[in-house]
Amino acid sequence: MTQRFVSLGECMVELAPAGEGNKLLQGFAGDTLNTAWYMRKLLRPDWQVDYVTCVGSDAISGKMLEFFQNAGLNTDHVKSRKDSTVGLYLITLDNGERSFSYWRSDSAAKRLCQDPGLVPGALQDAAVAYFSGITLGILSAADRASLLDHLRTARAAGVEIVFDPNLRPALWDSPQTMCTATMQAAEVADVVLPSYDDEASFFGDAYLKATAERYAKCGSGLVVVKNGGAEMLTLDRGAFAAHVSTAPEAIVDTTAAGDSFNAGFLATRAQGGALAEAMRGGADLAAKVIAHRGALVQGIAL
């Protein structure tokens, strides 16, 4: 029986450094798209991976849709709109650490919840639904509330809801609004996948355990606190466990480190792996990805 992993959010045109000089390589990426892309590579064929978003009706949007399909993603719930196009971002690297410049004011994905049937239709009969703080941050307040209502309904129907807070203050009118919305989203999630550095910066968490406990109090049965290359922590229905990260061969580009970890973790877990095995799966994939340029790395052994 086919099972469905549904990822909701925004894909953008990516311009990334291509070797020496000022050359740029065009691609497509975005946090929830990155996770879906790696999930499709990791999951068995009896899993279907759906990407749920809005694109424009112009040529670059058509190429993006073609990219989804060529990657093996189901696009039944990608809506093409005539009133907008897709966003774009530029990666700048400094010793492997990346910074971003964005052009997304007219991004079609901001209208994700303006078609009343799009998200509910995508969530129906899904096994897992995945979204992030960036998914929330691009939406209006009313559309965020609508998305959380749809996810809450899906959770009640048996869909496992997974949330990566992915705190990005540039998307919000204030850090306070971001933090409030993040905790509201955590209340509808079964699994939360925060990154400790971000949580410490915006919530003031003094240690990993504080991050895990804060999300667990929202009702999440499993919290996975990522911690870069340092020791990670899980809180699984009241039980804490520490987990060692995988050392990369080199750090070339940390783009999609967290997104690929999420995919390795979720794919292992979805296919019956125990928690410790899933943590290794996530850490191993992230270590491979950051040893290469770009968010979506072709040709690595998964």
Side-chain angles (χ1 to χ4, degrees):
M1 179 179 176
T2 299
Q3 299 187 79
R4 295 172 57 240
F5 177 88
V6 175
S7 185
L8 305 98
E10 178 185 31
C11 181
M12 304 178 73
V13 178
E14 177 191 81
L15 297 179
E20 299 299 326
N22 296 317
K23 293 182 179 180
L24 295 172
L25 181 66
Q26 179 190 302
F28 299 105
D31 68 330
T32 56
L33 182 279
N34 301 341
T35 298
W37 191 86
Y38 285 111
M39 288 291 286
R40 180 60 283 164
K41 290 184 173 296
L42 292 167
L43 288 170
R44 294 186 300 261
D46 61 341
W47 278 84
Q48 176 175 302
V49 179
D50 292 25
Y51 196 58
V52 185
T53 192
C54 294
V55 299
S57 56
D58 53 354
I60 193 65
S61 295
K63 289 184 179 296
M64 181 180 285
L65 185 59
E66 182 179 355
F67 171 80
F68 296 162
Q69 294 165 343
N70 289 341
L73 302 178
N74 182 59
T75 58
D76 288 351
H77 305 289
V78 175
K79 182 176 179 61
S80 296
R81 301 182 61 101
K82 295 181 179 180
D83 58 357
S84 49
T85 184
V86 293
L88 177 148
Y89 70 93
L90 170 67
I91 298 174
T92 304
L93 293 175
D94 182 9
N95 294 322
E97 288 300 321
R98 79 278 197 223
S99 60
F100 299 91
S101 300
Y102 291 95
W103 295 266
R104 71 192 329 163
S105 61
D106 196 36
S107 172
K110 292 184 174 184
R111 284 83 170 177
L112 178 64
C113 289
Q114 293 180 10
D115 181 330
L118 181 61
V119 173
L123 295 175
Q124 187 173 5
D125 299 324
V128 182
Y130 173 76
F131 74 114
S132 75
I134 293 178
T135 312
L136 296 177
I138 64 173
L139 302 177
S140 69
D143 286 350
R144 284 198 299 273
S146 178
L147 175 62
L148 295 184
D149 283 344
H150 294 320
L151 291 166
R152 191 176 294 108
T153 298
R155 186 185 190 189
V159 180
E160 182 176 69
I161 308 299
V162 181
F163 174 53
D164 181 346
N166 216 346
L167 302 171
R168 297 294 180 266
L171 294 173
W172 301 87
D173 59 23
S174 71
Q176 182 179 1
T177 301
M178 176 182 71
C179 291
T180 298
T182 297
M183 298 312 294
Q184 290 171 342
E187 292 176 355
V188 309
D190 299 287
V191 181
V192 181
L193 302 164
S195 295
Y196 177 66
D197 284 351
D198 291 343
E199 302 294 325
S201 295
F202 296 105
F203 285 96
D205 297 340
Y207 39 84
L208 276 69
K209 187 176 179 181
T211 298
E213 290 178 330
R214 175 166 47 80
Y215 284 113
K217 288 178 181 177
C218 291
S220 302
L222 174 60
V223 183
V224 176
V225 185
K226 296 169 285 184
N227 194 23
E231 187 175 79
M232 300 174 288
L233 184 72
T234 57
L235 177 53
D236 184 15
R237 293 167 181 80
F240 287 100
H243 304 267
V244 178
S245 295
T246 302
E249 294 182 4
I251 300 178
V252 175
D253 180 357
T254 56
T255 305
D259 307 331
S260 58
F261 174 92
N262 293 350
F265 173 81
L266 294 170
T268 303
R269 187 168 171 269
Q271 295 176 122
L275 180 58
E277 183 183 358
M279 293 294 290
R280 286 194 299 272
D284 288 351
L285 179 57
K288 293 175 181 177
V289 168
I290 66 175
H292 299 79
R293 291 187 185 276
L296 306 178
V297 181
Q298 300 280 358
I300 59 174
L302 300 180

